[in-house]
mmCIF file of all heavy atoms in Angstrom:
data_model
loop_
_atom_site.group_PDB
_atom_site.id
_atom_site.type_symbol
_atom_site.label_atom_id
_atom_site.label_comp_id
_atom_site.label_asym_id
_atom_site.label_seq_id
_atom_site.Cartn_x
_atom_site.Cartn_y
_atom_site.Cartn_z
ATOM 1 N N LEU A 127 2.781 -6.735 -10.670
ATOM 2 C CA LEU A 127 3.147 -8.117 -10.543
ATOM 3 C C LEU A 127 2.003 -9.038 -11.000
ATOM 4 O O LEU A 127 2.202 -10.103 -11.557
ATOM 5 C CB LEU A 127 3.438 -8.311 -8.999
ATOM 6 C CG LEU A 127 4.707 -7.723 -8.479
ATOM 7 C CD1 LEU A 127 4.832 -7.993 -7.030
ATOM 8 C CD2 LEU A 127 5.958 -8.117 -9.244
ATOM 9 N N GLU A 128 0.736 -8.708 -10.814
ATOM 10 C CA GLU A 128 -0.349 -9.406 -11.289
ATOM 11 C C GLU A 128 -0.302 -9.547 -12.796
ATOM 12 O O GLU A 128 -0.625 -10.642 -13.436
ATOM 13 C CB GLU A 128 -1.614 -8.930 -10.841
ATOM 14 C CG GLU A 128 -2.800 -9.598 -11.049
ATOM 15 C CD GLU A 128 -4.165 -8.969 -10.574
ATOM 16 O OE1 GLU A 128 -4.447 -9.202 -9.277
ATOM 17 O OE2 GLU A 128 -4.756 -8.261 -11.243
ATOM 18 N N THR A 129 0.107 -8.319 -13.479
ATOM 19 C CA THR A 129 0.073 -8.206 -14.867
ATOM 20 C C THR A 129 1.181 -9.199 -15.470
ATOM 21 O O THR A 129 0.956 -9.857 -16.542
ATOM 22 C CB THR A 129 0.266 -6.841 -15.399
ATOM 23 O OG1 THR A 129 -0.807 -6.010 -14.834
ATOM 24 C CG2 THR A 129 0.211 -6.752 -16.877
ATOM 25 N N ILE A 130 2.314 -9.144 -14.836
ATOM 26 C CA ILE A 130 3.461 -9.928 -15.282
ATOM 27 C C ILE A 130 3.178 -11.452 -14.977
ATOM 28 O O ILE A 130 3.625 -12.348 -15.721
ATOM 29 C CB ILE A 130 4.793 -9.480 -14.540
ATOM 30 C CG1 ILE A 130 5.065 -8.114 -14.932
ATOM 31 C CG2 ILE A 130 5.844 -10.352 -14.892
ATOM 32 C CD1 ILE A 130 6.262 -7.495 -14.117
ATOM 33 N N GLY A 131 2.447 -11.722 -13.758
ATOM 34 C CA GLY A 131 2.220 -13.098 -13.570
ATOM 35 C C GLY A 131 3.227 -13.666 -12.513
ATOM 36 O O GLY A 131 3.642 -14.765 -12.568
ATOM 37 N N LEU A 132 3.683 -12.653 -11.626
ATOM 38 C CA LEU A 132 4.749 -13.027 -10.604
ATOM 39 C C LEU A 132 4.260 -12.990 -9.292
ATOM 40 O O LEU A 132 3.459 -12.236 -8.835
ATOM 41 C CB LEU A 132 5.972 -12.006 -10.785
ATOM 42 C CG LEU A 132 6.858 -12.231 -11.965
ATOM 43 C CD1 LEU A 132 7.962 -11.011 -11.851
ATOM 44 C CD2 LEU A 132 7.624 -13.581 -11.924
ATOM 45 N N LEU A 133 4.763 -14.024 -8.351
ATOM 46 C CA LEU A 133 4.540 -14.029 -6.987
ATOM 47 C C LEU A 133 5.861 -14.131 -6.325
ATOM 48 O O LEU A 133 6.587 -15.107 -6.295
ATOM 49 C CB LEU A 133 3.764 -15.307 -6.664
ATOM 50 C CG LEU A 133 3.271 -15.265 -5.090
ATOM 51 C CD1 LEU A 133 2.394 -14.129 -4.757
ATOM 52 C CD2 LEU A 133 2.562 -16.597 -4.843
ATOM 53 N N ILE A 134 6.361 -12.864 -5.838
ATOM 54 C CA ILE A 134 7.697 -12.773 -5.359
ATOM 55 C C ILE A 134 7.602 -11.995 -3.929
ATOM 56 O O ILE A 134 6.690 -11.402 -3.578
ATOM 57 C CB ILE A 134 8.616 -12.008 -6.250
ATOM 58 C CG1 ILE A 134 7.998 -10.528 -6.528
ATOM 59 C CG2 ILE A 134 8.866 -12.748 -7.545
ATOM 60 C CD1 ILE A 134 9.006 -9.704 -7.356
ATOM 61 N N PRO A 135 8.687 -12.211 -3.173
ATOM 62 C CA PRO A 135 8.737 -11.336 -1.998
ATOM 63 C C PRO A 135 8.602 -9.865 -2.249
ATOM 64 O O PRO A 135 9.219 -9.328 -3.122
ATOM 65 C CB PRO A 135 10.130 -11.721 -1.311
ATOM 66 C CG PRO A 135 10.590 -12.969 -1.988
ATOM 67 C CD PRO A 135 10.038 -12.895 -3.375
ATOM 68 N N VAL A 136 7.839 -9.181 -1.275
ATOM 69 C CA VAL A 136 7.625 -7.760 -1.380
ATOM 70 C C VAL A 136 8.046 -7.099 -0.094
ATOM 71 O O VAL A 136 7.504 -7.488 0.916
ATOM 72 C CB VAL A 136 6.196 -7.443 -1.637
ATOM 73 C CG1 VAL A 136 5.987 -5.864 -1.655
ATOM 74 C CG2 VAL A 136 5.842 -7.834 -3.187
ATOM 75 N N ILE A 137 9.024 -6.179 -0.080
ATOM 76 C CA ILE A 137 9.455 -5.512 1.011
ATOM 77 C C ILE A 137 8.823 -4.012 1.035
ATOM 78 O O ILE A 137 9.096 -3.354 0.130
ATOM 79 C CB ILE A 137 11.017 -5.437 1.234
ATOM 80 C CG1 ILE A 137 11.481 -6.853 1.440
ATOM 81 C CG2 ILE A 137 11.388 -4.562 2.395
ATOM 82 C CD1 ILE A 137 12.112 -7.485 0.174
ATOM 83 N N LYS A 138 8.246 -3.698 2.213
ATOM 84 C CA LYS A 138 7.665 -2.358 2.313
ATOM 85 C C LYS A 138 8.392 -1.633 3.400
ATOM 86 O O LYS A 138 8.631 -2.099 4.525
ATOM 87 C CB LYS A 138 6.125 -2.483 2.742
ATOM 88 C CG LYS A 138 5.353 -3.278 1.748
ATOM 89 C CD LYS A 138 3.934 -3.608 2.297
ATOM 90 C CE LYS A 138 3.144 -4.532 1.398
ATOM 91 N NZ LYS A 138 1.827 -4.842 2.055
#
Side-chain angles (χ1 to χ4, degrees):
L127 293 179
E128 187 177 275
T129 302
I130 297 173
L132 281 178
L133 186 61
I134 58 174
V136 172
I137 293 104
K138 303 169 186 175

